[in-house]
Amino acid sequence: MTDLCAEELATIYAKPTARVIAKARPAIDAHARKFIEMSPFCVLATSGIDGSVDASPRGGSVGFVHVTGPNQLRMPDRAGNNRIDSFRNVVEGSGFVHLLFFVPGIDETLRVGGRGTLSADPDLLASMVEFGKPPRAVLNVAVSEVYFHCGKALMRSKLWSPEKVQRSVMPSISQVIHDQTSLGEPESQEIVEERYKAQL
């Protein structure tokens, strides 16, 4: 197997249409704002100082990411595994971030890019209480690019199909990590999920 070079890509893929290029907007318009305000989930992508890339799932109540202006987003950070890979990339790496927003039932997604900074201002944290707790920090994104992706990827995957995989087909995440690391004691998925709920 040989790897493709840049010149070969043009022989496989046609040039994007003018409409595809034009849909990348420099700010959040009414349509993008509505989509973000309906979204309970997104993926945050960041790049590190060493060129590495991190993609991290983020979620909350519908509209958990706040649109504070046409070029400004604020995303609260909730309890997680404390690796803070994404946030290290924001403060030590390129500072560039991309968010991919999902709305259950809609196959199109929304991508928002810009530069991120972090804040732990007490007043800001207090204004974003959710699940009875303030966030630990807030990611501020100075937005420079916004565009909608077509729905073909989600249509192919049938992501919103009512047919779901039963959780029991996989061992608990606790068991998986125990098998991989020999650290900690394996727990049932029910115990793991109860702990998740307590730490939201």
Side-chain angles (χ1 to χ4, degrees):
M1 183 177 73
T2 58
D3 296 336
L4 291 172
C5 66
E7 291 76 16
E8 291 172 309
L9 288 177
T11 69
I12 299 172
Y13 296 95
K15 288 184 178 181
T17 65
R19 189 178 186 193
V20 168
I21 298 298
K23 74 175 182 175
R25 311 308 299 163
I28 299 167
D29 68 0
H31 300 295
R33 183 182 188 115
K34 182 175 182 179
F35 198 90
I36 294 166
E37 290 174 347
M38 292 190 299
S39 175
F41 177 78
C42 67
V43 176
L44 168 65
T46 59
S47 56
I49 195 169
D50 60 354
S52 62
V53 176
D54 180 75
S56 174
R58 304 291 165 135
S61 298
V62 168
F64 76 103
V65 174
H66 299 247
V67 179
T68 56
N71 293 97
Q72 186 74 40
L73 289 179
R74 288 182 176 159
M75 184 178 72
D77 182 54
R78 307 292 171 190
N81 60 17
N82 294 321
R83 283 184 53 121
I84 57 174
D85 298 312
S86 299
F87 285 173
R88 286 192 193 283
N89 287 346
V90 168
V91 299
E92 297 174 354
S94 71
F96 289 115
V97 303
H98 262 87
L99 293 158
L100 185 61
F101 288 93
F102 295 77
V103 174
I106 297 178
D107 287 329
E108 290 77 20
T109 54
L110 178 71
R111 187 158 125 181
V112 178
R115 279 192 172 270
T117 57
L118 293 174
S119 175
D121 177 79
D123 292 336
L124 179 58
L125 301 184
S127 73
M128 292 185 159
V129 171
E130 190 178 7
F131 308 108
K133 303 171 188 175
R136 299 176 298 176
V138 173
L139 173 66
N140 298 295
V141 181
V143 174
S144 57
E145 184 179 53
V146 181
Y147 63 93
F148 282 94
H149 281 282
C150 76
K152 286 181 278 190
L154 270 67
M155 290 175 71
R156 291 182 189 116
S157 69
K158 299 179 182 176
L159 188 63
W160 307 133
S161 168
E163 298 176 11
K164 296 180 181 177
V165 172
Q166 295 299 311
R167 182 62 185 84
S168 58
V169 302
M170 281 285 292
S172 74
I173 188 65
S174 175
Q175 182 68 58
V176 169
I177 295 172
H178 175 76
D179 291 347
Q180 293 173 336
T181 68
S182 298
L183 297 174
E185 293 298 322
E187 299 171 316
S188 70
Q189 189 64 23
E190 290 76 19
I191 292 174
V192 171
E193 288 177 5
E194 285 303 314
R195 186 167 61 250
Y196 285 167
K197 291 174 185 176
Q199 295 174 347
L200 288 177

